[in-house]
Amino acid sequence: MNRLEEAKQKALKGDGVSRDEALWLFESDDLTALCRAADEIRDARCGNAFDLCSIVNGKCGRCSEDCRFCAQSARYPAETGAYPLLAADELAARAKADHEQGVQRFSIVTAGRTLSEAETEAVCAAVRAIREACGVSVCGSHGLLSYEQLVRLRQAGVARYHCNLEASRRFFPQVCTTHTYDDKIAVIQNAMRAGLTVCSGLIIGMGETAADRIDLALDLRALGVRSVPVNVLTPIPGTPFEQLPALTEDEVCRTAAVFRFVLPQAAIRMAAGRGKFEDKGARIFRSGANAAITGDMLTTSGITVARDLALLRSLGFEVARA
């Protein structure tokens, strides 16, 4: 039995590979064999179910944080609009429209370090309006909320909270200095304690190493996170990362595949950046990924729900309603 097969058998049991094994996989020469094995793990551990979600930029711009990839930071001259929290009826209408197209989950995303008391109540009201309007599963992404705020979201009807780690503990200070990796970990743990499931992942292409990506995946495994967004950096003019080179599709496929070996049961969710590839992510979805964000992203355009559904069905995936 060769080393790739040994790693696959270990992942098939549900344990996930070790750090050294993951590093070896990242450096292996046969990308086709790696991706095929990752897809076999996905099929065995998760089946053909595909988790499709959409997001709405519920509050845009003027963010106090200095995340160097983000056009919404008030610290950078990136060209992006700014507006306060959208009204509950508008958010409910967006959620209902996406759900009617076949989206299972709908997330309200707000710019800023956290929510004020008034904003927390307004988001809760919007969640209640969405739940009354349709059967979509509601997610929230509102920064560094307190445990009490997270409990209020759950009571309003939020099922899942999103808080990306973004980068490994080692690399995180190169990405953001206004909050810490441990701040993010605390939110994830508080969300779980509040009764929410958690969605947390990373952005690749910010200058991190393969080891950084693997270390983050291992931290997510230790935390028990089962929805893992993989964003591919889109360098935005006016941000500190605007000159970084774009990743190749091979690099993204390799990352998705290794994440499947580390996180056999997780929803590996392709998020921002896949739209730049000609096949819109088809190869990545055959490299171990089994979830995606569809429609527009926060400050960049995405892929329509109809196009994604057609692609996923052509690949043999089953997209069920929430």
Side-chain angles (χ1 to χ4, degrees):
M1 186 183 297
N2 63 35
R3 195 168 181 182
L4 176 60
E5 183 64 22
E6 289 177 354
K8 184 181 81 171
Q9 292 303 319
K10 186 173 182 179
L12 284 171
K13 293 177 182 177
D15 298 330
V17 299
S18 68
R19 185 178 192 272
D20 286 345
E21 288 166 330
L23 283 169
W24 180 85
L25 291 169
F26 227 105
E27 296 167 0
S28 61
D29 292 332
D30 194 339
L31 177 60
T32 299
L34 173 67
C35 293
R36 184 186 307 116
D39 198 44
E40 291 172 7
I41 297 165
R42 184 272 310 159
D43 183 56
R45 300 303 308 184
C46 306
N48 283 329
F50 197 96
D51 192 85
L52 199 62
C53 67
S54 64
I55 62 177
V56 61
N57 196 350
K59 174 191 170 189
C60 184
R62 302 193 183 100
C63 181
S64 64
E65 306 305 282
D66 69 353
C67 303
R68 292 171 182 163
F69 56 83
C70 187
Q72 297 195 70
S73 172
R75 299 166 183 258
Y76 311 131
E79 293 183 7
T80 184
Y83 51 79
L85 188 65
L86 298 178
D89 58 352
E90 183 174 354
L91 292 169
R94 284 282 301 271
K96 183 178 181 181
D98 285 1
H99 188 239
E100 288 175 346
Q101 292 183 75
V103 169
Q104 300 159 285
R105 304 179 188 276
F106 179 83
S107 182
I108 303 172
V109 184
T110 53
R113 181 181 179 91
T114 188
L115 295 177
S116 67
E117 171 59 28
E119 288 171 336
T120 301
E121 183 50 44
V123 167
C124 288
V127 172
R128 289 189 289 268
I130 291 169
R131 296 298 294 160
E132 290 176 5
C134 63
V136 75
S137 182
V138 183
C139 307
S141 182
H142 309 294
L144 306 178
L145 296 189
S146 67
Y147 171 71
E148 291 73 18
Q149 288 173 303
L150 292 162
V151 169
R152 288 168 66 185
L153 288 183
R154 180 185 59 76
Q155 292 172 339
V158 172
R160 174 173 288 173
Y161 195 70
H162 169 263
C163 183
N164 270 352
L165 290 179
E166 309 293 15
S168 69
R169 181 180 293 278
R170 182 198 74 85
F171 194 69
F172 191 87
Q174 306 303 313
V175 177
C176 179
T177 65
T178 49
H179 56 268
T180 69
Y181 195 77
D182 284 324
D183 289 334
K184 298 269 197 176
I185 295 285
V187 172
I188 290 170
Q189 292 174 329
N190 280 333
M192 290 178 172
R193 187 161 65 95
L196 297 160
T197 62
V198 170
C199 182
S200 182
L202 77 166
I203 302 173
I204 60 176
M206 298 189 294
E208 77 287 345
T209 65
D212 286 317
R213 297 178 197 173
I214 291 165
D215 286 342
L216 181 145
L218 290 168
D219 281 348
L220 293 175
R221 187 169 78 188
L223 287 163
V225 172
R226 298 290 289 270
S227 174
V228 181
V230 178
N231 296 274
V232 182
L233 179 72
T234 299
I236 299 173
T239 65
F241 286 168
E242 65 179 328
Q243 299 299 328
L244 289 178
L247 294 183
T248 65
E249 191 170 19
D250 280 358
E251 178 77 3
V252 181
C253 288
R254 184 177 295 275
T255 300
V258 174
F259 268 51
R260 176 56 63 198
F261 276 83
V262 176
L263 298 155
Q265 285 91 223
I268 307 298
R269 187 179 305 277
M270 299 314 301
R274 70 180 169 92
K276 69 180 181 180
F277 300 122
E278 187 174 348
D279 67 359
K280 304 307 178 188
R283 276 187 64 205
I284 307 168
F285 298 142
R286 280 296 178 221
S287 302
N290 64 334
I293 299 177
T294 188
D296 288 341
M297 302 295 123
L298 295 180
T299 59
T300 58
S301 60
I303 304 166
T304 66
V305 178
R307 183 168 185 177
D308 269 341
L309 286 173
L311 170 64
L312 295 171
R313 287 166 181 156
S314 75
L315 295 172
F317 285 106
E318 300 172 1
V319 183
R321 285 192 176 275

